Amino acid sequence: MAYATTAGHGEHDDHHPTGWRRWIYSTNHKDIGTMYIILSLVAALIGGVMSWMIRLELAEPGIQFFDNTQFYNVLVTAHGFLMVFFVVMPAMIGGFGNWFVPLMIGAPDMAFPRMNNISFWLTAAGLTLLVSSAFVGEGPGTGWTVYPPLSSIAYHPGAAVDFGILALHLAGAGSILGAINLIVTVFNMRAPGMTLHRMPLFVWAILVTAFLLLLALPVLAGALTMLLTDRNFGTSFYAVSGGGDPLLWQHLFWFFGHPEVYIIILPAFGIISQIISTFSKKPVFGYLGMAYAMCAIGFVGFIVWAHHMYTSGIGTNARAYFTVATMIIAVPTGIKIFSWLATMWGGSIDFKAPMMFALGFLWLFVIGGVTGVVLANAGIDFVMHDTYYVVAHFHYVMAIAAIFAMFGAYYYWIGKMSGRQYSERLAQIQFWIFFIGVNVLFFPQHFLGLGGMPRRIPDYPDAFAGWNMVSSVGAAITMVGTLMFYYIIWHTFRYGKTAEANPWGEGATTLEWTVPSPAPFHTHEELPVIGAGDHGHGPLHGGVQPAE
Amino acid sequence: MATHTTKSHPFHMVDPSPWPIVATIAAFTIATGGIWFMHGGPPWILIAGFAVLIVSFFGWWRDVVNEAQSGHNHTSVVQHGLRVGVLLFIASEVMFFFAFFWAYFNASVPLINSAAHTTWPPEGITPFHAWGLPFLNTLILLTSGATVTVAHHAVRLNDREKMVFWIGATAVLGFLFLGLQAFEYHHAAFGLTGGIYPSTFFLATGFHGFHVFVGAAFLTVCFFRARAGHFTPNQHVGFEAAAWYWHFVDVVWLFLFVCIYWWGSAGYHGPAGH
């Protein structure tokens, strides 16, 4: 193959930096993607330990550990921020997006390799600020939604909330630059014949995600800036005393926040499509429908934000509109679910670990999606709002669903990234531990929520004791599954068998499987040519081959 | 550096660079220094952060300019990617201003927010007269939009003398706008802490002013690059980016002028109680 040999002469293309400069100064999409994944693994440990502490506190009624209940609030806040901004987004978009968008479209790197680097470092700087914020003064006990007046200078007088604001500013700037990079890469660097309608669905998913990032994050930046000036320079955007309006924050936050949950789950959609197609040994059913369903979800995601605000005093007409608009999302989402099922239908399914996690994803996402349709009703949500039903809903639909997609992606691509294959037996065990753990952890929270247990409170009436104990036992099982994943990473690098270029066989038809494992420092320096009839999922035979 | 004949694709593989990490250290210093300053600390860390940021901007973009001048890195395909990138960046900037306009209308239009003020400007606020200084600034920015277009034509005709003059004229108009805005701020009848009207007014027009500064600085760089002969009819992405950015700044101002200065002062009927 041409890939391994063309590097070695020429100009700075083949410049292969070594030592610390290779990483710190990196302009290589694979190295930057790897750094993103490592950052995500570190943040996941911190955020995971926090959730573990939360479940330990909630295992029984009464206060077990947090005499300082503000610290409990700080943990809840930091857990949310860490998982959303510093675990899922860096791993999916910065990590797998960086690694595999160029590989899958036949591009030699990202469009702006140097900007790619600052996207990562700004994320790292944001992570540092966010973790610091928990240890500054009273910490930010505002929840990840940072609603004023709780987040105002009157109720959080220390610097902690300002640390949080600037953490999001830095990470957000990094994400906007990363989004620009990904969009330009997809639009401008596809190999000859790789038309938009032949791109693998993972690339489509990242493209739509990048547009959501590009358009949603600046609105958060504006809202955060106004919060910063309200807190420190005496403006009145959210202060009723100066003629301002706390609801303004909620509107701006959720105008960003709802697209944000699709930013988290769309890359998961892409990963799941690749995995299910590969292990069913069939092209994805309804390829174009799948691609445009993601576009539709992305678009509708911008016009449903106030379903997070049904109890905030918005008008009846507004609640009616947002109920209807929200339910419309179930249509393109249903297209995706049924197309995944139809992809498996009649396929020769290989239940390898990535496929197991994809199936787990379907289970979790459907449960979370169904409770989402329940909560979309303003009338029902009026009762359920701020209860554990909501906590169960969003952990199912975006949190653990996304984590399952990330685990699946890791097992799917680690051979390509590291050159070593994971242990199938360990991965299967980890799947079952984790799958049982998260369901025992979150399913009972539906019952707690229906019973009226409020979220974000470290104590609760004795009546809720039973299911809370079950939930905490589930958390213990989940923690075992999580730690086992870290062990499997170590095991892969220490004992993993050498991975073939394509370990998955005929089902794996996308371009990353045409390059050696581990993928060389530079790939696709000879642009591949994609044949007609091949849409990144079709049979590879003759369709995708390196150019002369 | 060897020849580039072995490269079989049109894309630019960028060398490893220290500037992203240096710029990040600067941003981190600005963030922490800014927090310390806001909570009563000295301004020096904040200022140091900005200094490092300016150094890293200079270093980074010097590298970009050198790569562009090298002749073979910025192929037409790479130029296309850079243009799309600039357009996307401007789209994100539009959404940033979207937040401030949302704050403004949320406070001033009862039709969209039942808690909005029923009189605008609110009681006790004396707004600027839209057809005075703000209108002059509107004319200045509109004129600068025309001059930058004249400069663009000169670039395409490879008329260096003309392009240098008109780029310079555009930058001068930009700085003139900033001077008049500073004068206007100095004579405002309301202070930043005087409630929701000054909050929206100063943040929206202030961030616009900052963007005018960035655009004018960008044009100033283009002025010197034009004098050095960097822009050819076939390759002038840097100038095009500056021009597009300048038009964006111009359009934002038109919205500010119409919504905040003009419509926003229409409800004012002299001093309260008279």
Side-chain angles (χ1 to χ4, degrees):
Chain A
M1 268 206 185
Y3 303 103
T5 52
T6 45
H9 32 81
E11 48 155 3
H12 33 274
D13 294 37
D14 50 272
H15 186 68
H16 190 143
T18 52
W20 61 273
R21 282 188 187 84
R22 169 178 173 183
W23 302 97
I24 306 289
Y25 292 175
S26 181
T27 47
N28 181 285
H29 73 106
K30 302 184 189 82
D31 283 355
I32 293 171
T34 302
M35 291 197 288
Y36 263 116
I37 293 172
I38 293 169
L39 178 134
S40 166
L41 287 167
V42 171
L45 267 190
I46 306 172
V49 167
M50 286 174 171
S51 59
W52 178 231
M53 289 162 78
I54 292 167
R55 269 329 308 173
L56 278 180
E57 172 59 52
L58 292 172
E60 290 179 1
I63 297 294
Q64 332 294 328
F65 308 104
F66 296 108
D67 295 325
N68 175 5
T69 50
Q70 167 73 4
F71 189 61
Y72 178 86
N73 296 344
V74 170
L75 282 183
V76 171
T77 308
H79 163 73
F81 275 132
L82 280 169
M83 292 305 194
V84 169
F85 287 93
F86 300 103
V87 177
V88 178
M89 286 168 63
M92 297 248 210
I93 306 161
F96 297 120
N98 241 314
W99 255 95
F100 291 104
V101 165
L103 276 176
M104 284 178 151
I105 62 173
D109 206 300
M110 294 282 282
F112 309 120
R114 196 165 22 204
M115 197 168 85
N116 201 8
N117 186 347
I118 200 173
S119 293
F120 168 75
W121 285 116
L122 285 173
T123 310
L127 175 62
T128 311
L129 279 179
L130 188 80
V131 174
S132 312
S133 76
F135 302 100
V136 176
E138 75 281 357
T142 59
W144 88 291
T145 51
V146 207
Y147 280 5
L150 180 59
S151 58
S152 69
I153 200 79
Y155 297 96
H156 274 86
V161 171
D162 298 311
F163 267 86
I165 289 170
L166 286 159
L168 295 186
H169 264 320
L170 293 192
S175 293
I176 291 170
L177 296 176
I180 292 172
N181 215 337
L182 285 161
I183 296 171
V184 175
T185 303
V186 172
F187 279 174
N188 200 41
M189 297 181 73
R190 280 169 286 119
M194 179 63 81
T195 59
L196 285 174
H197 282 178
R198 286 183 193 150
M199 292 195 310
L201 284 174
F202 178 69
V203 181
W204 266 104
I206 292 290
L207 178 64
V208 177
T209 305
F211 269 105
L212 297 192
L213 283 167
L214 184 80
L215 300 176
L217 276 170
V219 179
L220 175 70
L224 287 169
T225 303
M226 289 185 252
L227 185 61
L228 196 71
T229 59
D230 267 17
R231 286 175 50 80
N232 297 295
F233 299 102
T235 58
S236 314
F237 289 104
Y238 312 122
V240 177
S241 57
D245 181 8
L247 265 188
L248 169 66
W249 168 267
Q250 296 190 23
H251 278 296
L252 292 171
F253 180 84
W254 288 115
F255 187 83
F256 144 81
H258 198 75
E260 174 65 28
V261 304
Y262 296 139
I263 286 162
I264 285 171
I265 209 64
L266 280 168
F269 288 173
I271 290 165
I272 298 304
S273 294
Q274 303 302 137
I275 291 176
I276 288 185
S277 164
T278 296
F279 293 96
S280 303
K281 301 189 186 68
K282 280 176 64 193
V284 163
F285 179 89
Y287 165 82
L288 276 183
M290 290 291 256
Y292 284 97
M294 287 192 282
C295 298
I297 290 169
F299 172 75
V300 182
F302 274 106
I303 53 172
V304 296
W305 74 90
H307 67 216
H308 298 271
M309 302 163 52
Y310 285 145
T311 61
S312 296
I314 61 171
T316 310
N317 289 337
R319 290 203 294 265
Y321 160 74
F322 282 105
T323 297
V324 173
T326 303
M327 290 199 177
I328 286 174
I329 298 171
V331 177
T333 312
I335 289 174
K336 298 206 70 72
I337 296 286
F338 288 113
S339 295
W340 283 320
L341 295 179
T343 305
M344 288 186 273
W345 187 267
S348 168
I349 301 178
D350 195 356
F351 291 99
K352 291 262 172 36
M355 187 63 177
M356 296 303 287
F357 276 99
L359 295 173
F361 169 92
L362 287 186
W363 165 264
L364 300 165
F365 185 72
V366 167
I367 290 181
V370 168
T371 54
V373 177
V374 174
L375 288 171
N377 293 277
I380 298 175
D381 181 77
F382 229 74
V383 189
M384 312 272 234
H385 189 86
D386 256 341
T387 70
Y388 261 82
Y389 192 88
V390 177
V391 177
H393 156 69
F394 73 73
H395 277 94
Y396 262 95
V397 81
M398 57 172 257
I400 47 177
I403 296 292
F404 268 56
M406 285 158 56
F407 281 151
Y410 173 84
Y411 290 125
Y412 186 57
W413 280 319
I414 188 62
K416 183 57 59 188
M417 294 191 290
S418 73
R420 289 178 179 275
Q421 198 62 317
Y422 65 92
S423 156
E424 187 63 45
R425 179 196 304 229
L426 288 177
Q428 293 282 345
I429 296 171
Q430 193 248 337
F431 167 78
W432 283 109
I433 294 175
F434 204 82
F435 183 73
I436 293 168
V438 291
N439 280 289
V440 174
L441 166 51
F442 288 111
F443 208 84
Q445 294 185 2
H446 292 112
F447 312 143
L448 291 169
L450 289 170
M453 179 170 161
R455 60 192 284 214
R456 290 175 168 158
I457 310 265
D459 194 4
Y460 51 82
D462 291 353
F464 299 128
W467 286 123
N468 267 300
M469 178 51 86
V470 173
S471 183
S472 290
V473 169
I477 301 171
T478 306
M479 206 64 192
V480 172
T482 308
L483 294 176
M484 188 171 175
F485 178 69
Y486 284 82
Y487 170 74
I488 291 173
I489 294 174
W490 178 80
H491 185 272
T492 306
F493 281 84
R494 185 76 178 77
Y495 299 110
K497 293 200 183 76
T498 306
E500 301 161 45
N502 175 8
W504 308 127
E506 56 173 314
T509 59
T510 40
L511 280 173
E512 78 268 34
W513 308 113
T514 64
V515 305
S517 295
F521 193 69
H522 291 301
T523 39
H524 296 321
E525 290 193 298
E526 302 275 340
L527 300 182
V529 176
I530 287 76
D534 187 279
H535 42 69
H537 283 280
L540 184 61
H541 342 293
V544 180
Q545 51 192 315
E548 279 296 297
Chain B
M1 211 174 285
T3 59
H4 53 98
T5 45
T6 53
K7 200 173 79 165
S8 66
H9 60 73
F11 304 113
H12 179 198
M13 306 294 280
V14 181
D15 282 334
S17 166
W19 301 119
I21 185 81
V22 175
T24 303
I25 291 168
F28 186 81
T29 310
I30 289 168
T32 47
I35 293 167
W36 201 22
F37 176 62
M38 289 186 292
H39 287 270
W44 303 117
I45 296 176
L46 180 63
I47 292 168
F50 275 113
V52 178
L53 189 72
I54 288 168
V55 169
S56 56
F57 280 167
F58 182 83
W60 188 325
W61 289 327
R62 181 202 58 193
D63 286 357
V64 175
V65 169
N66 287 338
E67 286 156 7
Q69 293 310 110
S70 73
H72 56 264
N73 286 318
H74 286 195
T75 61
S76 62
V77 175
V78 171
Q79 288 184 39
H80 178 73
L82 287 165
R83 282 193 205 97
V84 176
V86 170
L87 286 180
L88 292 169
F89 177 68
I90 290 174
S92 80
E93 291 269 55
V94 167
M95 294 309 286
F96 183 70
F97 278 98
F98 183 79
F100 294 99
F101 276 101
W102 192 329
Y104 177 70
F105 290 121
N106 186 73
S108 60
V109 183
L111 189 67
I112 58 167
N113 174 19
S114 55
H117 291 254
T118 47
T119 57
W120 194 263
E123 285 283 314
I125 293 289
T126 308
F128 287 106
H129 182 54
W131 300 100
L133 200 58
F135 184 61
L136 178 59
N137 260 346
T138 305
L139 293 179
I140 288 170
L141 271 197
L142 285 175
T143 308
S144 74
T147 54
V148 82
T149 304
V150 175
H152 200 169
H153 277 284
V155 170
R156 304 200 47 160
L157 296 171
N158 213 12
D159 183 342
R160 189 181 304 175
E161 220 169 281
K162 207 170 154 189
M163 79 170 90
V164 168
F165 177 81
W166 288 107
I167 293 173
T170 312
V172 167
L173 287 170
F175 286 115
L176 179 62
F177 173 95
L178 285 176
L180 290 176
Q181 193 177 22
F183 178 83
E184 178 193 88
Y185 274 21
H186 191 68
H187 289 83
F190 42 82
L192 178 65
T193 57
I196 185 67
Y197 181 90
S199 299
T200 54
F201 176 85
F202 281 117
L203 268 279
T205 60
F207 271 109
H208 174 265
F210 174 69
H211 282 74
V212 172
F213 171 75
V214 170
F218 198 172
L219 285 164
T220 306
V221 171
C222 287
F223 172 79
F224 289 107
R225 290 192 65 198
R227 285 214 316 190
H230 285 190
F231 300 134
T232 66
N234 293 324
Q235 187 180 350
H236 49 268
V237 176
F239 171 72
E240 244 178 331
W244 287 348
Y245 194 83
W246 196 249
H247 288 311
F248 150 72
V249 166
D250 201 352
V251 170
V252 171
W253 173 260
L254 291 181
F255 277 95
L256 289 172
F257 177 74
V258 170
C259 302
I260 293 185
Y261 285 98
W262 184 12
W263 177 82
S265 64
Y268 178 70
H269 301 293
H274 284 255

